[in-house]
Amino acid sequence: MADGAAADGAGGDEGDAARTENPGTPQPRAAALRRDRDEEGRARSARPRDGLGRPLPYGSPGVARQPEGVSRTPAQSLAEAQRLLDDGMPFHAHEVLEDAWKAAPEAERELWRGLAQLAVGLTHAARGNAVGGTALLDRGTSALAPYADAAPYGIDIAGLLAWSRELTGRLTGSGPVPAAETAPRLRTTGDTTENRPTAEG
């Protein structure tokens, strides 16, 4: 972590001098000298991101991140997260579900946390990171399982657990999965549990 002077952007000339005098001395990267901050002053990367949340070079066109701390009803959170999943943006869906998790009453925290973890698991799977995808899908499944007998808000817990297990089974030795085509259905539709466990399904 950079010290106060470096964090304020001071010491740039000293760093150049040190490199000239002793080129073998490791120097802090320019990015470590100052951190991006949001309007409230919190550390938040300003680098643009792609649809899977991967950072792009500064100045590149990217996909806007979800605003943090948005107050939504559970139905609104699920609808927005589903829209983002359907659009192939599970990283952004995870941000919506994370807001719901942080705002949820204690009894529902693990439910929303599990949903966010499934979205991150799909993000990793779509990036081709089978190990990270499997780990997050497993965590999400464990968090959701206790809600299977009384799923609130029409959330298709049984379908999501089946989707997660099926996707986890496909990740070993596979490349990236298509995010939109692989995305699950978060809620039941009518009398059916509509989930899309495979790209073909």
Side-chain angles (χ1 to χ4, degrees):
M1 189 157 161
D3 62 24
D8 291 335
D13 294 336
E14 293 170 17
D16 290 341
R19 271 190 292 279
T20 304
E21 293 171 18
N22 188 358
T25 303
Q27 300 298 319
R29 296 187 331 224
L33 296 178
R34 54 187 173 271
R35 298 181 74 182
D36 295 330
R37 304 253 173 213
D38 64 13
E39 295 81 27
E40 285 80 38
R42 294 177 302 218
R44 183 173 170 102
S45 176
R47 283 178 67 180
R49 292 179 178 263
D50 70 8
L52 293 175
R54 293 173 290 210
L56 298 169
Y58 284 101
S60 300
V63 176
R65 290 188 64 177
Q66 292 299 116
E68 284 186 71
V70 175
S71 179
R72 299 177 182 93
T73 66
Q76 290 169 332
S77 294
L78 291 165
E80 180 64 4
Q82 188 68 65
R83 181 188 69 77
L84 292 163
L85 288 168
D86 291 344
D87 287 347
M89 296 191 291
F91 177 82
H92 298 77
H94 127 269
E95 292 183 315
V96 170
L97 295 165
E98 189 173 85
D99 271 348
W101 163 28
K102 291 176 180 176
E106 188 64 36
E108 294 180 8
R109 290 253 169 102
E110 285 300 296
L111 170 75
W112 295 101
R113 180 179 175 181
L115 292 172
Q117 288 170 327
L118 291 186
V120 177
L122 177 56
T123 301
H124 283 295
R127 291 175 178 177
N129 177 0
V131 173
T134 298
L136 269 298
L137 291 167
D138 286 347
R139 285 187 215 155
T141 297
S142 295
L144 290 179
Y147 297 91
D149 291 336
Y153 311 116
I155 297 172
D156 185 6
I157 301 291
L160 288 167
L161 297 178
W163 169 84
S164 179
R165 285 190 296 270
E166 193 281 333
L167 179 55
T168 298
R170 282 197 290 140
L171 290 183
T172 305
S174 72
V177 301
E181 291 88 347
T182 308
R185 302 301 307 164
L186 298 176
R187 303 205 302 184
T188 56
T189 304
D191 296 327
T192 64
T193 53
E194 181 189 339
N195 254 299
R196 289 177 288 172
T198 66
E200 296 78 33

